[in-house]
Amino acid sequence: MYPGGVGGRTGLPETGEMPVRVMSCNIRCDHGGYGANNWVHRRDLCVEVMQSRRPDILCCQEVWASQAADLRRALAGYAWMGTIDEPDGRGPVNSIFYRSDRFRPTSAGAYWLSQTPHVCGSRSWDSRCVRLATWARLLDGESGREVRIVNTHLDHVSQPAREGQAAVLNEDAAAYGETFAQILTGDMNAGPENPAIACFGGAGWRDTWQAARGEDDPGPTFHGFRGPAYDGPEGRID
């Protein structure tokens, strides 16, 4: 499932495997209040890190319009899709980039993590912010197989909202057959022991960090621009 950013509900079958490198990152929005850490100062570093990992699929959260434009210019060879979260909004907050020389989109869409998931800008369970999921079905030109990517961002304040939002994501994923490969990425604002994450596990998502690294602790994935000097409580939430 998630934590560590990426997960698969059922994983790929042992036959017909489709190796794919997926990267997920919250790039932090561009509201201009971060001083030396404003987007204009960290943009080039963000792009450099993304390019250095050579992802087949790149999922970003907190993407504002200016950031989407910058990334689309910088990430040559990637196609893009994103969803604006509110009727009067401008930022495609949960964006998906994918290698255009490898994948062809067969379908795409979005829904809101609320009790009315098809109402743009809706929120429930005292969610502080509007939260949604953007998804794309991509046909792999190398294997001939299709994979569904779901990119999301759970609420950062309300625990009932995180659990309700996880349930909406699970309900959506359950509509697909168990052999249909699905990958969930996002900023979950919840560590591995959080009940929202347990909700994912109960629905069949596999934690790819644990699958690859076991119980090894990578440390905080949120660091407030302080890097190794960060001493806050958050652990692996992305």
Side-chain angles (χ1 to χ4, degrees):
M1 58 167 213
Y2 149 77
V6 182
R9 181 171 179 269
T10 60
L12 298 175
E14 293 182 2
T15 59
E17 290 187 354
M18 185 179 69
V20 59
R21 182 187 295 267
V22 181
M23 182 178 185
S24 174
C25 51
N26 183 328
I27 64 171
R28 204 71 181 267
C29 61
D30 183 23
H31 66 49
Y34 298 128
N37 295 306
N38 283 340
W39 173 248
V40 67
H41 302 305
R42 55 189 159 90
R43 174 186 57 209
D44 292 345
L45 176 59
C46 286
V47 171
E48 179 184 343
V49 171
M50 292 169 180
Q51 292 174 330
S52 71
R53 300 305 188 268
R54 302 175 63 187
D56 297 305
I57 300 169
L58 168 66
C59 297
C60 298
Q61 303 88 41
E62 291 198 33
V63 182
W64 284 23
S66 59
Q67 295 169 298
D70 287 341
L71 292 178
R72 292 178 70 183
R73 282 191 295 267
L75 296 173
Y78 287 85
W80 168 87
M81 65 161 295
T83 306
I84 295 173
D85 57 348
E86 301 188 52
D88 60 350
R90 294 292 183 270
V93 291
N94 297 332
S95 291
I96 300 173
F97 296 82
Y98 56 90
R99 279 177 45 195
S100 56
D101 65 340
R102 177 172 178 179
F103 295 101
R104 178 175 64 83
T106 61
S107 186
Y111 55 91
W112 278 258
L113 304 184
S114 72
Q115 293 174 308
T116 54
H118 300 298
V119 177
C120 178
S122 61
R123 53 183 165 177
S124 304
W125 311 292
D126 294 323
S127 183
R128 175 69 62 86
C129 297
V130 172
R131 303 294 184 178
L132 73 159
T134 299
W135 61 269
R137 286 173 55 168
L138 303 175
L139 182 65
D140 179 20
E142 295 182 4
S143 68
R145 297 194 60 205
E146 193 174 11
V147 61
R148 183 172 187 256
I149 305 297
V150 183
N151 184 29
T152 195
H153 190 175
L154 302 190
D155 197 59
H156 65 303
V157 174
S158 170
Q159 177 62 24
R162 284 189 287 268
E163 294 180 36
Q165 290 160 0
V168 173
L169 288 157
N170 289 341
E171 182 178 9
D172 166 71
Y176 293 79
E178 292 191 354
T179 60
F180 198 107
Q182 300 190 69
I183 298 174
L184 174 64
T185 67
D187 177 350
M188 303 304 181
N189 277 310
E193 304 304 320
N194 191 288
I197 304 305
C199 181
F200 287 129
W205 293 97
R206 292 188 299 169
D207 182 339
T208 53
W209 176 271
Q210 289 184 349
R213 306 293 293 272
E215 298 302 320
D216 181 30
D217 183 4
T221 57
F222 171 85
H223 53 76
F225 298 122
R226 294 194 291 275
Y230 176 74
D231 60 357
E234 293 90 347
R236 178 166 60 94
I237 66 172
D238 295 287

